[in-house]
Amino acid sequence: MRSLPFADPGTPPLRGPVTLLLWLARKQARVLAGAMFFGVLGFTCSSFQPYLVGHIIDSATESGLSRTTWTWAAVMAGVGIVWIASNAIGHRWDITAWMHAAFRTSQLVTRTVARSGHNITKELPTGEVVSSVANDTMRIGEVFAVLGQTIGSVATYTIVVVLMLRQSLTLGLVIALGLPVVAAILALLVKPLQKHQKKQRDAQGRLTTLGADTVSGLRILRGIGGEKVFTGRYRDQSQRVRQAGVDVAGTQSVLDALQVLLPGLFIALVVYLGAAEALAGRISTGQLVAFYGYASFLSWPVHLLVQSVNVVTKAHVAAGKVVKVLQVVPATGATGSSAAMPPAHVPLVDETTGVTLEPGRVLALVSADPDESARVAVRMGRFDDEAETDTPVTLGGVRLADLDKQELRERVVVADATPALFSGRLAGELDVRDAADRAALLRAMHVADAHDVLESLPDGIEGEIPEKGRSLSGGQRQRVALARALVTDPEILVLVEPTSAVDAHTEARIAQRLTEWRRGRTTLIVTASPLVLDHVDEVLFLDDGTVAARGTHRELLDLPPDAPGGQEAARYRRVVGRSLAEDDDTELDQELDALLGANAQEGGTA
């Protein structure tokens, strides 16, 4: 068994579902070869059982428990041992093939979703993506789980027909021609079953999308009183999924019933014809028993073949859905590059605004419009090639759009203003590149002044964070996200409003520790907080789409209005002053809340 997931799941052809399935088969050719070998071996051993039983009966009838009878019995026992061993080992190979295909497909879908950015939601509903990971990958894996047994059953059918034709031409022809007819009749139901399964899969995807939208917007729905409407919509769609499931179950039940009925009738026919042959003296008693055993045994390969067709049908539908997900082109274009990666320690420049990050300096970006400065920061991370065509960013004179994305992500890290956290261990949440030790994680938490987060978790750095970090306050989530960005320790780090959700005292500590930690490494902090601006090497003031002024925070504050650049510095002071006033109001509100809380507690005690 190989360890999963794969280091590299590969790059599949996306011409259609069949090409995807064939590619998955080629990627695990050795595993499938093992599964097919043991499948053929197991079914071959099973197919010889009726033949050996017939010889034992004939031998015992003619000469009793003679040496010949015991020899045939010993051969049958040996074949049985091989049959048991091959089935046990073959099952292991079948499960391996199933897991390899399912997990490889799941990795491909997950990788596409991770790389595609917002394009995935532009192209496909959320429910389709979720269903692809949760259901479709498992359906695809089932094909490879039954492949070994399917090939084994086909090989066994050939062996049995040859054995029967050697003993009785009439019965051999009946079985050779009759079972394919039974299989063909059963296969007629596969097409309507496929249609109903596709309808059910589409309805399930829409239901998942509707459920995800409703849950994510539940707070808004409560505010506008729309819970009943959306609950009704979910109920209606759920009924459509139920009806689609009933349609699938109806067709499936008919197929399952015929899988029992038709082979049973066929076995009865074979027994009747065999009995007639035995009474006429054309076959022996042992051969009659063997023919009955053959007919009974071959009903299982027929059942397995029909089941395999059903599995392949479901996998074909699932593979088509997966191909649609894999065909989504990331917002940052396809993988690859057209230019060589520039050397380390070169400027990162936003050509439109003139914002230039000189190597080894800690800079701050201030703008009267916070959204404008945030857009500049996001562009420096190359998140959407199409949207950023008219606003190019260069690294060492080379456009980011021309560089390899993976190498670029290693060198430039952008942490936006939304602190998105994931469930799992806090250490795993922080170490997204799986390269930091415990000391590095604790240093990053110290710089982010997140010691209270460690204290709030029973196991500290190894504690569990729930989904979206909902057990943490807004300020705690922001500081954990800041620590996560610091742990990556990139050549260039861009932070968007990293301290907007914390109080002034905490912000002052973070500002001092952060700038000291990143001193000598290229860093850009998008903020208008004087507590942060006072610690950086230089401030860039963005006004009307361009860098209007630059200098230290103190220089811009002290620059007279009549000096060169004085007007721009005056506008900078107004922006920073407004931010300072907001901070003062926040502190005042916090002190007032604390005072009111204390008074209320004293009043209750009295």
Side-chain angles (χ1 to χ4, degrees), residues 385-562:
D385 287 349
E386 183 178 354
E388 296 163 5
T389 301
D390 298 328
T391 55
V393 178
T394 61
L395 179 64
V398 182
R399 290 169 60 103
L400 298 189
D402 297 331
L403 298 175
D404 181 78
K405 290 184 294 184
Q406 300 306 314
E407 291 188 59
L408 182 64
R409 294 285 186 271
E410 292 292 326
R411 295 180 59 176
V412 181
V413 170
V414 177
D416 63 21
T418 304
L421 301 183
F422 306 95
S423 60
R425 292 168 45 252
L426 176 58
E429 173 74 31
L430 296 174
D431 189 12
V432 294
R433 294 182 176 176
D434 195 24
D437 55 20
R438 180 184 178 87
L441 301 182
L442 293 176
R443 282 197 303 270
M445 292 291 283
H446 172 72
V447 173
D449 199 47
H451 56 86
D452 57 325
V453 176
L454 297 175
E455 294 171 355
S456 68
L457 298 176
D459 298 320
I461 198 73
E462 297 296 332
E464 289 287 328
I465 297 291
E467 182 184 8
K468 297 182 179 180
R470 61 177 180 268
S471 64
L472 306 177
S473 67
Q476 288 177 321
R477 287 195 296 270
Q478 187 177 61
R479 283 176 282 147
V480 170
L482 172 59
R484 179 177 60 191
L486 294 174
V487 168
T488 62
D489 196 26
E491 176 189 336
I492 301 174
L493 177 62
V494 180
L495 302 171
V496 182
E497 300 291 353
T499 58
S500 59
V502 300
D503 61 77
H505 300 292
T506 303
E507 184 176 32
R509 289 193 296 271
I510 294 175
Q512 181 179 0
R513 295 171 184 174
L514 174 60
T515 51
E516 290 177 356
W517 176 257
R518 291 292 301 178
R519 194 76 66 192
R521 286 173 290 178
T522 310
T523 308
L524 177 67
I525 306 173
V526 177
T527 182
S529 170
L531 294 173
V532 178
L533 298 174
D534 201 34
H535 288 83
V536 301
D537 297 330
E538 187 177 30
V539 178
L540 307 179
F541 178 55
L542 195 62
D543 188 31
D544 197 22
T546 60
V547 176
R550 60 190 309 157
T552 66
H553 177 58
R554 293 297 175 184
E555 290 173 350
L556 294 177
L557 289 181
D558 298 338
L559 191 65
D562 54 352

Side-chain angles (χ1 to χ4, degrees), residues 61 79 95 145 187 253 296 376 436 461 492:
T61 303
V79 171
I95 297 301
S253 63
S296 300
V376 173
I461 198 73
I492 301 174

